[in-house]
């Protein structure tokens, strides 16, 4: 092709550099079209097939090589002025070739990407088939496990029933053994109770003996007496004569009297300093109340005759919250603080019982009635109230889950570690829903029912009779008048809350019922 262009350049007339005549330019375009534009195929309606149409060959001037002849050199090509149209055609040719190469690269890249995507699609189809098969196997395994779980639940329920039956039988066996031992015991059927009382008295006697020994080690007068006795043992003579013994005993008796008087004065000074003795005895009275008064740790509803405001102030001084009823100002609801830990002292009801039996002197009011109360504030205190749940198989309507799964829920309330009452729910087929319903019943209707039951059963008069009998069974109780005076002085000075004086007065009154002797408060 380059040789043809060169010959065309050499054969054109000289008209100046870079110019062509009209004829030469037309011939040049025709030759270039023959060289670069492929022949068009014949129309479809032509008789001869398109494949048989001969391809036109570019015009080759005579004198040029047609086979492997050597073409023009680079220098010769540089000397040829092909004209702007030929240069434009060459530029277009280069652009077409560059696009062709670009399209070819894009095609190869798209083809490779297509092959990769087809390969991934094939792998995904295989993975999908494998996963579907695994899912089918898992569904079969789940159905088997569900059936086995139902069987295990049946077995577990049966085991629980057998365990409960075994516990009942063991309890009956222990009771039978106890009755057998009681029947073999000497004396009355209360022989075991008497033996326990004797054991308790022996323990108390040993404790008292240990206290006496400690007092001997601490008491200087006893140490001095032992020292004098050691000398006295050396003075014994044959026949038992000891002329100086009487003089020593007289002098020691006088010394003991002076020592006792000084010791009594020192004790009174220590006991009255900062109301020490009163606070200790009040702590002992609180211990008795929390141990012996039923439901002493609960809140209370108190009806007051007289100065209700002063009664509310006395309960508030003990650290309790007091609220008067909107319809009756004499009716007080006394509750423990919501942040309180498990009580180690009586709650509002324990103090209210003491104030009902033995109100503080000159308080200006009297407790007409009192009954224990489980208040909403008490239920909201997680430090004191704990709710535990137990499940069982529901009975009655409820669908397929009835008698198959344990959807019936029992909510059991404990207050300060002691069981209170229980609420039950089984209306729903969901154990979680029944759990929430049981908790709502526990805090709502069941709490009201329990409070009503406590109000009917806990009569203060009956409680006092029971306490007096217990005190008498333990040998009685005597509260010294001096101690009552110290407690009263401490309450009057504000060293202890006034309501706590009622606890000590309750002990004194229980002791009066046993001994029949009145106690006075100065």
């Amino acid at each position: 092709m380059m040789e043809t262009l060169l010959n065309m350049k050499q054969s054109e007339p000289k008209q100046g550099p870079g110019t062509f005549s009209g004829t030469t330019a037309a011939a040049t375009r025709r030759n270039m079209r023959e060289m670069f534009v492929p022949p068009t195929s014949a129309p479809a309606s032509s008789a001869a097939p398109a494949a048989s149409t001969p391809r036109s060959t570019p015009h080759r001037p005579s004198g040029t090589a047609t086979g492997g002849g050597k073409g023009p050199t680079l220098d010769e090509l540089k000397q040829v002025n092909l004209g702007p149209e030929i240069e434009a055609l060459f530029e277009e040719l280069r652009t077409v070739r560059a696009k062709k190469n670009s399209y070819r690269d894009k095609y190869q890249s798209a083809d490779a990407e297509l092959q990769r995507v087809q390969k991934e699609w094939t792998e995904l189809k295989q993975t999908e088939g494998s996963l579907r098969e695994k899912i089918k196997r898992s569904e079969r395994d789940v159905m088997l496990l569900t059936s086995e779980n139902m069987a295990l639940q049946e077995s577990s329920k049966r085991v629980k029933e057998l365990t409960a039956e075994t516990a009942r039988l063991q309890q009956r066996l222990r009771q039978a053994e106890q009755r057998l031992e009681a029947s073999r015991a000497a004396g009355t059927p209360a022989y075991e109770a008497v033996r326990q009382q004797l054991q308790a008295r022996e323990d108390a006697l040993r404790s008292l003996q240990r206290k006496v020994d400690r007092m001997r080690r601490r008491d200087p007068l006893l140490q001095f007496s032992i020292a004098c006795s050691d000398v006295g043992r050396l003075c014994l003579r044959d026949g038992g004569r000891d002329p100086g013994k009487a003089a020593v005993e007289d002098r020691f008796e006088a010394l003991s009297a002076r020592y006792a008087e000084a010791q009594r004065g020192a004790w009174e000074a220590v006991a009255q300093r900062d109301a020490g003795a009163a606070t200790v005895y009040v702590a002992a009275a609180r211990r008795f109340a929390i141990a012996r008064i039923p439901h002493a740790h609960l809140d209370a509803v108190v009806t007051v005759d007289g100065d209700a405001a002063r009664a509310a102030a006395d309960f508030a001084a003990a650290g309790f919250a007091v609220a008067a009823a909107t319809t009756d100002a004499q009716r007080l609801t006394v509750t423990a603080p919501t942040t309180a830990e498990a009580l180690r002292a009586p709650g509002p009801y324990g103090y209210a019982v003491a104030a009902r039996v033995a109100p503080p002197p000159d308080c200006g009011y009297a407790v007409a009635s009192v009954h224990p109360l489980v208040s909403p504030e008490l239920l909201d205190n997680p430090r004191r109230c704990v709710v535990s749940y137990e499940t069982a198989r529901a009975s009655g309507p409820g669908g397929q889950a009835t008698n198959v799964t344990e959807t019936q829920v029992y909510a059991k309330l404990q207050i300060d570690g002691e069981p209170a009452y229980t609420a039950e729910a089984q209306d729903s087929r969901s154990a979680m829903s029944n759990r929430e319903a049981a908790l709502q019943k526990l805090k709502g209707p069941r709490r009201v029912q329990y409070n009503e039951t406590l109000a009917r059963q806990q009569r203060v008069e009956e409680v006092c009779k029971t306490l007096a009998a217990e005190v008498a069974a333990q040998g009685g109780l005597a509260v010294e008048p001096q101690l009552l005076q110290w407690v009263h002085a401490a309450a009057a000075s504000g060293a202890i809350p006034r309501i706590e004086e009622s606890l000590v007065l309750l002990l004194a009154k229980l002791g009066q019922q046993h001994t029949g002797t009145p106690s006075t408060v100065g």
Side-chain angles (χ1 to χ4, degrees):
M1 178 183 68
M2 300 304 296
E3 292 174 356
T4 304
L5 294 175
L6 184 59
N7 292 333
M8 292 168 57
K9 179 64 178 176
Q10 291 174 356
S11 61
E12 68 175 314
K14 301 296 185 177
Q15 295 181 0
T19 60
F20 286 91
S21 63
T23 306
T24 305
T28 301
R29 285 195 296 270
R30 183 173 60 253
N31 291 333
M32 291 300 295
R33 190 179 300 111
E34 291 175 353
M35 284 187 295
F36 294 106
V37 179
T40 57
S41 59
S45 61
S46 176
S52 62
T53 303
R55 181 184 181 94
S56 62
T57 58
H59 172 71
R60 296 183 181 271
S62 62
T64 61
T66 60
K70 187 176 180 181
T73 65
L74 183 61
D75 294 335
E76 292 174 347
L77 291 174
K78 289 181 178 181
Q79 295 175 0
V80 177
N81 186 1
L82 299 179
E85 294 184 358
I86 301 302
E87 294 295 338
L89 290 174
F90 272 107
E91 183 63 27
E92 184 179 356
L93 177 62
R94 284 193 296 271
T95 303
V96 170
R97 284 181 176 176
K99 289 184 178 180
K100 181 196 71 172
N101 293 335
S102 174
Y103 291 154
R104 181 185 60 203
D105 295 340
K106 290 181 179 180
Y107 169 77
Q108 292 176 353
S109 175
D111 185 63
E113 181 67 19
L114 178 60
Q115 291 179 0
R116 186 185 65 79
V117 171
Q118 288 179 344
K119 183 178 179 181
E120 291 182 355
W121 182 80
T122 303
E123 292 176 352
L124 288 175
K125 289 292 289 183
Q126 294 175 354
T127 305
E128 180 187 8
S130 176
L131 290 176
R132 289 184 181 277
E133 185 62 28
K134 290 181 179 179
I135 289 174
K136 291 180 180 179
R137 290 198 299 268
S138 300
E139 290 176 349
R140 290 195 295 269
D141 294 341
V142 167
M143 293 178 64
L144 291 175
L145 289 175
T146 303
S147 61
E148 292 178 358
N149 185 31
M150 293 175 63
L152 287 175
Q153 288 180 352
E154 290 284 346
S155 301
S156 177
K157 182 64 176 178
R158 182 58 180 165
V159 168
K160 288 182 179 179
E161 293 175 355
L162 292 176
T163 303
E165 183 66 23
T166 302
R168 288 193 295 270
L169 292 176
Q170 290 177 350
Q171 179 67 20
R172 292 175 60 184
L173 179 60
R174 286 192 295 268
Q175 293 175 356
E177 291 175 352
Q178 292 174 0
R179 288 194 297 270
L180 180 60
E181 291 177 359
S183 63
R184 293 177 178 176
T188 62
Y191 174 81
E192 184 65 22
V194 173
R195 187 185 66 79
Q196 291 179 359
Q197 291 181 3
L198 290 177
Q199 183 66 34
R201 292 192 178 219
E202 290 176 359
D203 294 340
L205 183 61
R206 284 193 292 268
S207 176
L208 182 61
Q209 184 65 36
R210 288 193 295 268
K211 291 179 180 179
V212 170
D213 294 338
R214 287 195 297 269
M215 290 179 61
R216 286 177 177 176
R217 289 192 295 269
R218 290 196 301 263
D219 193 350
L221 183 62
L222 289 178
Q223 296 293 336
F224 179 74
S225 174
I226 293 173
C228 293
S229 298
D230 292 338
V231 176
R233 286 197 303 271
L234 301 177
C235 298
L236 292 176
R237 302 171 61 183
D238 295 340
R241 296 180 64 254
D242 188 2
K245 180 178 180 182
V248 172
E249 290 179 350
D250 292 340
R251 292 178 180 274
F252 185 81
E253 188 69 25
L255 177 64
S256 298
R258 291 195 299 272
Y259 176 80
E261 183 178 357
Q263 193 176 36
R264 184 165 49 254
W267 159 244
E268 290 181 357
V270 171
Q272 296 181 29
R273 185 185 306 165
D274 298 328
T279 56
V280 173
Y281 200 77
V282 165
R286 288 198 298 263
R287 178 186 176 187
F288 171 80
I290 192 66
R292 291 296 185 179
I293 298 178
H295 307 291
H297 59 290
L298 296 182
D299 298 336
V301 176
V302 183
T303 303
V304 180
D305 289 338
D307 193 348
R310 191 169 183 181
D314 288 346
F315 280 106
F320 302 132
V322 183
T326 56
T327 58
D328 186 2
Q330 302 297 113
R331 184 180 177 87
L332 306 178
T333 300
V334 187
T335 58
T338 57
T339 58
E341 302 287 343
L343 295 183
R344 293 181 295 177
Y349 179 67
Y351 283 98
V353 168
R356 170 72 177 84
V357 177
D362 303 326
C363 63
Y365 63 87
V367 177
S369 65
V370 59
H371 62 81
L373 173 71
V374 178
S375 63
E377 292 81 5
L378 177 58
L379 286 179
D380 292 336
N381 188 350
R383 298 178 180 86
R384 297 183 59 193
C385 293
V386 177
V387 180
S388 60
Y389 298 92
E390 291 184 2
T391 57
R393 289 188 180 179
S395 60
Q400 294 179 350
T402 305
N403 297 324
V404 176
T405 58
E406 295 186 350
T407 57
Q408 187 177 13
V409 177
Y410 292 92
K412 298 183 177 181
L413 175 65
Q414 287 187 340
I415 302 176
D416 295 332
E418 297 182 6
Y421 59 92
T422 302
E424 175 269 338
Q426 64 171 353
D427 296 336
S428 175
R429 288 183 292 178
S430 170
M432 185 61 67
S433 299
N434 286 334
R435 180 187 178 106
E436 296 176 356
L439 182 60
Q440 293 299 324
K441 288 183 179 180
L442 193 78
K443 294 183 176 181
R446 284 292 296 124
R447 182 183 70 85
V448 175
Q449 294 175 3
Y450 184 69
N451 288 334
E452 293 175 351
T453 302
L454 290 178
R456 289 193 303 268
Q457 294 179 352
Q458 299 302 316
R459 301 289 183 181
V460 177
E461 294 78 8
E462 298 298 328
V463 171
C464 288
K465 289 181 180 180
T466 303
L467 292 178
E470 292 176 353
V471 170
Q474 296 294 328
L477 177 68
V479 181
E480 296 294 333
Q482 181 67 49
L483 186 56
L484 293 176
Q485 293 177 2
W486 287 344
V487 172
H488 180 69
S493 64
I496 61 173
R498 181 190 300 270
I499 198 70
E500 289 192 335
E501 185 179 1
S502 295
L503 297 176
V504 178
L505 295 177
L506 173 63
L507 287 177
K509 191 164 187 177
L510 294 175
Q512 294 173 19
Q513 294 180 3
H514 171 63
T515 60
T517 57
S519 60
T520 60
V521 178

